[in-house]
Amino acid sequence: MPKIGAAQKILKALGLPSAQQNEISALTLLALCNLRERDPWKKAERISLGVSKGIMQFIANAYQKTYAPNTRETVRRQVLHQFVHAGIVEYNPDNPDLPVNSPRAHYAISAPALKVIQSYRTKAWKENLQQFHDEIGKLRERYRKKRKRQMVPITLEDGRKLVLSPGKHNEVQRAVIEEFAPRYAKGAKLLYVGDTEKKDLFIEKKK
């Protein structure tokens, strides 16, 4: 389909590595822009979608491409994660406080990337593309700082500090370690703390 091939060219122009220029990446981009085969690029719009009932369902309906259920994790880890890092997609823009593994997790095309996509094959394309690359560093830094503010800090008994990803589950972990244990489990030793983003965040290996 011509639209998929064009989306792959856009991904390459936006600076995505070859691994994220494949068909599933192109279809993911089209889904996030709400673009079907015959839609003009200027009709691209910013919508928030989850992976299974949003992106995967759009691809099946609009492009008749049906993927196995376990492809969801591949799209999340091998496509969307890189899209977010590249600044072309935002993670949970409607609710930044959602935990990493929330079933309501969603993605939306970033405003700078949308501007580029809408101008594909127009005179403004090159200028918008250059502006995107000029701004991408600032965008990444802004996203990093925003994400850092939402992290959940934990201070261990010996003074060591850990930082967990945002979410109510990790707020509970912090409360157990910092408040519950000192009051109701005196003498207990912390052996393990896991996080969705990093399973082995803290391990007392010897014990």
Side-chain angles (χ1 to χ4, degrees), residues 7 10-11 14 16 25-35 41 43-49 55 79-80 83-84 86-94 106-118 132 139:
I10 290 173
L11 289 171
L14 289 171
L16 272 297
S25 298
L27 287 166
T28 300
L29 183 72
L30 292 169
L32 290 169
C33 292
N34 198 27
L35 286 174
W41 291 101
K43 282 193 68 177
E45 59 179 329
R46 176 184 165 96
I47 56 173
S48 293
L49 295 176
I55 294 168
V79 178
L80 290 164
F83 279 13
V84 171
I88 69 173
V89 163
E90 293 179 14
Y91 181 56
N92 289 338
D94 302 333
H106 56 277
Y107 301 81
I109 204 80
S110 69
L114 181 63
K115 186 177 179 181
V116 175
I117 294 163
Q118 288 172 334
F132 172 83
L139 186 70

Side-chain angles (χ1 to χ4, degrees), residues 99-170:
V100 173
N101 58 350
S102 170
R104 293 184 291 131
H106 56 277
Y107 301 81
I109 204 80
S110 69
L114 181 63
K115 186 177 179 181
V116 175
I117 294 163
Q118 288 172 334
S119 66
Y120 184 61
R121 290 178 177 164
T122 71
K123 292 180 179 178
W125 160 256
K126 287 185 178 180
E127 182 181 343
N128 289 342
L129 185 62
Q130 184 59 52
Q131 188 177 18
F132 172 83
H133 286 299
D134 290 343
E135 290 181 0
I136 194 62
K138 297 175 185 176
L139 186 70
R140 284 176 181 164
E141 181 63 16
R142 190 160 64 245
Y143 179 83
R144 187 191 66 78
K145 288 180 179 179
K146 182 179 178 182
R147 181 75 173 165
K148 188 176 180 181
R149 287 198 300 270
Q150 295 160 356
M151 300 301 273
V152 180
I154 290 181
T155 302
L156 303 184
E157 188 180 17
D158 61 5
R160 279 182 288 179
K161 297 183 184 296
L162 304 177
V163 180
L164 304 178
S165 57
K168 292 181 180 179
H169 174 76
N170 285 337

